Amino acid sequence: MRPNPLRSKWAAGRPALGSWVSIPSQLVAEAVAANDLDYVVIDCQHGFIGFDDTVRMLAALSTGEVTPIVRVPELSTANISRVLDAGAMGVIIPMVNSAEEAAAAVSYTRFPPVGVRSIGAGRALITEGADYYERANEEVACIPMIETMEAIGDLDNILSVPGIDVAYVGPSDLAVAMGYKPGTSAQPFLDMLDHVVEACNRHGVRPGIQATPGTAADRVARGYQMVTMVVDLPAFRAALARGIADAAFTDEQRPHPALY
């Protein structure tokens, strides 16, 4: 089994930078993987990606050097084991609010005797080799999300669970939970981001976060070691809007809508 590239990045003391895909398209996944990124996350929670799409997209990500990660819809052994069997090298689990849930997340990502993951890694055996069962526990990343005030209240206990690799902040949900709008730069919210980093550092867990092209550098400067910089659908919409604006038609030149 190949080493998880994310772990090599972290061992070198460098932040991992990635992208997020929510469009159910093998071609989109392949295009994203062709960029200079450390990881790509396939979003099966809020995106429109089914399991068949996920398998095809994981195959597309294999064409690049990125670490393939899947955000599952919710915490369950079925959700987690299926995407790991399909070849994901890490799993992001939404709405982990307690140490008990964090411990379950770790258990579902590890084979016995460490966890309860069932033997049956079909595609992963093809892509990673016959020693997958022996090495997967060391290479697969368990990444619970911290995105509620309940999770913040139990943060030290969550981070104390052995096997948690990254505590991944969902900033939009966390902002709303704090009484702000998504995308806020209110100082109490930024202080909370720093609080998560400080807690992670105390427990030896890497802090991760969903960012934007405009906030990614700030999040790295705050100490986040896994920073998702761009999401496919908003990036596509922004690029489309720029392309239309760059066309720079005058009112006289602009084609009449009735022609389309």
Side-chain angles (χ1 to χ4, degrees):
M1 182 180 181
R2 64 192 170 104
N4 188 331
L6 281 185
R7 297 191 182 280
S8 301
K9 193 89 172 181
W10 291 325
R14 298 163 59 197
L17 304 177
S19 182
W20 198 271
V21 290
S22 59
I23 301 171
S25 167
Q26 181 175 346
L27 181 59
V28 169
E30 194 169 29
V32 173
N35 290 277
D36 185 17
L37 297 165
D38 298 308
Y39 66 90
V40 173
V41 179
I42 298 170
D43 185 11
C44 294
Q45 183 193 18
H46 286 305
F48 304 96
I49 299 171
F51 183 68
D52 289 347
D53 296 316
T54 300
V55 175
R56 287 189 287 268
M57 293 169 74
L58 285 168
L61 295 183
S62 298
T63 63
E65 299 297 324
V66 299
T67 296
I69 297 174
V70 176
R71 177 165 75 168
V72 294
E74 62 183 358
L75 173 63
S76 78
T77 183
N79 282 325
I80 292 173
S81 63
R82 288 186 89 196
V83 299
L84 292 179
D85 289 352
M89 293 285 281
V91 183
I92 295 179
I93 305 102
M95 294 291 177
V96 173
N97 295 322
S98 68
E100 291 75 19
E101 291 177 350
V106 172
S107 181
Y108 298 161
T109 61
R110 271 41 174 202
F111 291 119
V114 179
V116 298
R117 180 183 170 190
S118 177
I119 301 293
R123 181 175 177 271
L125 281 177
I126 298 171
T127 58
E128 301 300 337
D131 64 344
Y132 180 80
Y133 295 131
E134 287 73 36
R135 296 192 54 195
N137 285 357
E138 301 172 5
E139 301 297 343
V140 167
C142 179
I143 309 170
M145 293 193 73
I146 304 299
E147 46 190 346
T148 67
M149 295 310 296
E150 185 179 356
I152 293 295
D154 204 31
L155 186 58
D156 279 314
N157 290 327
I158 291 173
L159 298 178
S160 297
V161 173
I164 297 296
D165 295 295
V166 178
Y168 192 92
V169 174
S172 293
D173 280 315
L174 184 57
V176 170
M178 294 179 66
Y180 300 107
K181 293 181 179 180
T184 184
S185 58
Q187 192 58 50
F189 173 75
L190 297 179
D191 291 343
M192 184 64 76
L193 298 187
D194 293 339
H195 168 67
V196 173
V197 172
E198 186 273 332
C200 284
N201 290 341
R202 282 192 286 107
H203 290 278
V205 175
R206 297 165 189 86
I209 193 167
Q210 193 81 2
T212 67
T215 62
D218 173 81
R219 301 324 188 225
V220 170
R222 291 178 184 275
Y224 282 88
Q225 297 175 41
M226 180 181 181
V227 178
T228 302
M229 302 183 294
V230 63
V231 180
D232 57 352
L233 187 56
F236 170 76
R237 294 178 62 193
L240 186 63
R242 284 196 303 272
I244 294 170
D246 289 347
F249 285 113
T250 65
D251 289 339
E252 291 77 15
Q253 292 172 320
R254 187 174 299 277
H256 195 279
L259 297 177
Y260 295 91

